[in-house]
Amino acid sequence: MMEIGTTTTPFGRRGAKLSLVRRQVEAENTSSDRSVDKWSVFRDACEARDMLGLQDRPLSVLNALLSFYPHAELCEDKGLVVFPSNVQLSARANGISGATLRRALFALVEAGLIERRDSPNGKRYAHRDTSGAVEKAFGFDLKPLLLRAGELALMAQKVVQERLQLKRARENLTLCRRDVRKLITAALEEGIAGDWDALDAAYRRIVQRIPRDPGLQQLALLLQDMEDLRQQVFNVLDFQQNVQNMNGNADLNEQHKQNSKPDSIHELEPRFEKKQGAAAEVDNNRQNAWLTAFPLAMVLRACPQMADYTSGGMIGTWRDFLAAAVVVRSTLGISPSAFEEACEVMGPEAAAITIACMLERAGHIHSPGGYLRGLTAKARKGEFSVGPPLMALLRLNGRGERAVS
């Protein structure tokens, strides 16, 4: 049974809605001994505007109503009814028209943020006692804001979290889309075997499905499809590279039969001590078995500055690349011992690629020698590989432009 307290139905020709009357009665019968910062509640309402179904104008009017409340915190003991005239409200709500003001007030009531307390003649005023304190006021009751403060805070928090998730989903889709586009382009330019036309068509179909203002669920589906396509591209690249490495390993094995001491990066760095016995065999096996994750041309696309450290300005083979790494090592001020340790832990080719990546970012590295030793220590524990920094530089340098520090 509805317990009737002090309720007022709308003045004039405005009809009464039973749902609003019930809500007003519930608010009247609910008391709160807490107090909340009025502007904090207002900010939460602004964040939750879409969930509340509100636009700019009603929120502007709510801001004006709160400005007429004389205290910093909403508190039931201090009274929660404000009674400005339409002229005063309009002035504080950036001069909106009377019709717009009425629609905004109606929207605030519908959203359950304020309640009307209409007087017998529809005017807004207050009865005061002999000391000037307000005994009874007719106007707009802010009590719903006090009672719903916790709910509004949760709504605002949910909106902020969804906005953050949406932002991250957009970023992830952009990064994944860029990876697919540039890898396909690089593969086509370098003549790597594969059905790149079909993969490019699949990429374009996904891009065409991206709406102008996608929601979180749409972005999640698009991101999944783009990540699947990126994996397909990597699978094709890995397959072709494995074929190339199998052919290359056969040649290396033949050379190993003819020469028990094949060319290595250690021969290019005279100051390195030659290893003997089992240690030398481990190094040779590592070099013969090491599989480059990317073609040499792709590595040079990511690290174009390496060509500047060769006699002819060209790198055509991995041996040329390793020789350039020795020169860059000296240029960066990295000690031979630090470079040798990196070669032992990572393998010569991976160490040379690491040096090339450091060259591209030299302006951001304070101590190249210490930086390389740190990466070597991580690689020893399995916490570092050349793939991520190489892909980052490939994205940065794009079609072969030099990175700008």
Side-chain angles (χ1 to χ4, degrees):
M1 180 177 178
M2 183 185 298
E3 296 183 7
I4 301 176
T6 305
T7 62
T8 59
T9 53
F11 171 78
R13 290 179 291 181
R14 292 196 309 272
K17 288 187 176 182
L18 294 182
S19 60
L20 295 181
V21 173
R22 180 179 295 275
R23 194 164 65 194
Q24 187 181 108
V25 171
E26 291 174 353
E28 182 68 25
N29 293 331
T30 303
S31 61
S32 175
D33 56 357
R34 63 178 298 196
S35 60
V36 296
D37 182 88
K38 64 179 181 181
W39 298 121
S40 177
V41 178
F42 175 72
R43 286 190 295 270
D44 289 339
C46 290
E47 287 286 0
R49 56 191 295 177
D50 291 336
M51 298 179 70
L52 294 169
L54 296 175
Q55 297 180 346
D56 290 343
R57 291 300 176 82
L59 291 173
S60 178
V61 172
L62 180 60
N63 178 80
L65 285 172
L66 288 171
S67 71
F68 285 101
Y69 187 74
H71 309 289
E73 294 186 334
L74 298 175
C75 179
E76 195 167 2
D77 292 341
K78 298 178 182 178
L80 291 167
V81 178
V82 292
F83 39 91
S85 67
N86 281 354
V87 174
Q88 292 172 315
L89 263 181
S90 178
R92 293 198 188 183
N94 302 319
I96 61 177
S97 67
T100 303
L101 176 62
R102 287 190 292 272
R103 286 193 297 268
L105 291 169
F106 177 79
L108 291 173
V109 173
E110 288 287 315
L113 297 184
I114 63 173
E115 296 287 354
R116 289 183 179 274
R117 299 292 182 183
D118 285 353
S119 66
N121 62 2
K123 302 295 183 180
R124 299 173 201 141
Y125 56 86
H127 294 300
R128 301 180 183 273
D129 59 20
T130 55
S131 64
V134 175
E135 289 184 327
K136 185 176 182 61
F138 297 99
F140 299 102
D141 194 345
L142 302 178
K143 187 175 180 179
L145 283 175
L146 174 63
L147 297 179
R148 299 184 64 187
E151 177 191 354
L152 291 173
L154 291 176
M155 293 170 67
Q157 184 179 7
K158 182 179 179 180
V159 170
V160 171
Q161 290 176 345
E162 290 179 350
R163 185 184 302 139
L164 180 60
Q165 291 175 353
L166 186 64
K167 179 183 178 181
R168 289 177 176 172
R170 286 179 181 272
E171 292 174 347
N172 292 336
L173 179 59
T174 298
L175 291 174
C176 188
R177 175 180 175 181
R178 188 171 66 194
D179 286 348
V180 173
R181 175 70 277 163
K182 292 199 173 186
L183 287 172
I184 292 177
T185 300
L188 288 170
E189 290 180 352
E190 296 172 22
I192 297 177
D195 193 357
W196 300 111
D197 289 339
L199 291 171
D200 183 71
Y203 167 81
R204 294 181 183 278
R205 285 195 296 270
I206 296 176
V207 171
Q208 290 172 356
R209 287 166 45 205
I210 302 177
R212 178 170 297 181
D213 188 21
L216 185 59
Q217 185 174 4
Q218 291 175 302
L219 284 174
L221 294 174
L222 290 166
L223 178 59
Q224 183 61 56
D225 291 344
M226 193 65 77
E227 287 178 340
D228 291 343
L229 180 59
R230 180 172 61 180
Q231 187 59 52
Q232 293 180 44
V233 172
F234 275 120
N235 290 342
V236 175
L237 289 174
D238 288 342
F239 173 77
Q240 294 302 329
Q241 189 58 42
N242 288 337
V243 171
Q244 295 175 16
N245 286 326
M246 288 172 63
N247 295 334
N249 285 340
D251 294 340
L252 286 173
N253 290 334
E254 183 64 26
Q255 294 173 12
H256 185 70
K257 293 177 183 178
Q258 300 174 6
N259 181 5
S260 61
K261 294 182 179 180
D263 291 339
S264 73
I265 197 167
H266 299 288
E267 295 181 358
L268 300 172
E269 183 65 87
R271 285 171 288 180
F272 287 165
E273 296 179 358
K274 299 295 183 179
K275 288 185 167 48
Q276 302 295 329
E281 184 178 355
V282 170
D283 285 346
N284 290 336
N285 290 338
R286 173 187 287 159
Q287 183 166 345
N288 289 339
W290 192 85
L291 299 178
T292 307
F294 301 96
L296 176 60
M298 187 175 292
V299 174
L300 294 176
R301 187 181 304 278
C303 307
Q305 296 187 58
M306 287 294 284
D308 296 340
Y309 294 84
T310 60
S311 57
M314 293 288 292
I315 296 178
T317 64
W318 277 108
R319 179 172 173 77
D320 295 338
F321 186 82
L322 298 177
V326 173
V327 178
V328 173
R329 188 277 306 161
S330 178
T331 302
L332 293 178
I334 298 173
S335 67
S337 61
F339 190 29
E340 182 177 13
E341 184 183 7
C343 291
E344 291 173 352
V345 174
M346 302 180 190
E349 294 85 350
I353 292 176
T354 302
I355 291 291
C357 293
M358 291 175 60
L359 176 63
E360 294 294 324
R361 305 296 295 169
H364 302 275
I365 300 175
H366 178 67
S367 175
Y371 187 79
L372 180 61
R373 288 190 184 277
L375 294 181
T376 302
K378 289 185 177 181
R380 194 186 301 276
K381 294 185 293 184
E383 297 175 355
F384 171 76
S385 66
V386 297
L390 191 63
M391 286 302 301
L393 285 172
L394 185 64
R395 290 193 293 266
L396 179 65
N397 293 342
R399 299 178 179 274
E401 311 93 316
R402 293 185 178 258
V404 178
S405 297

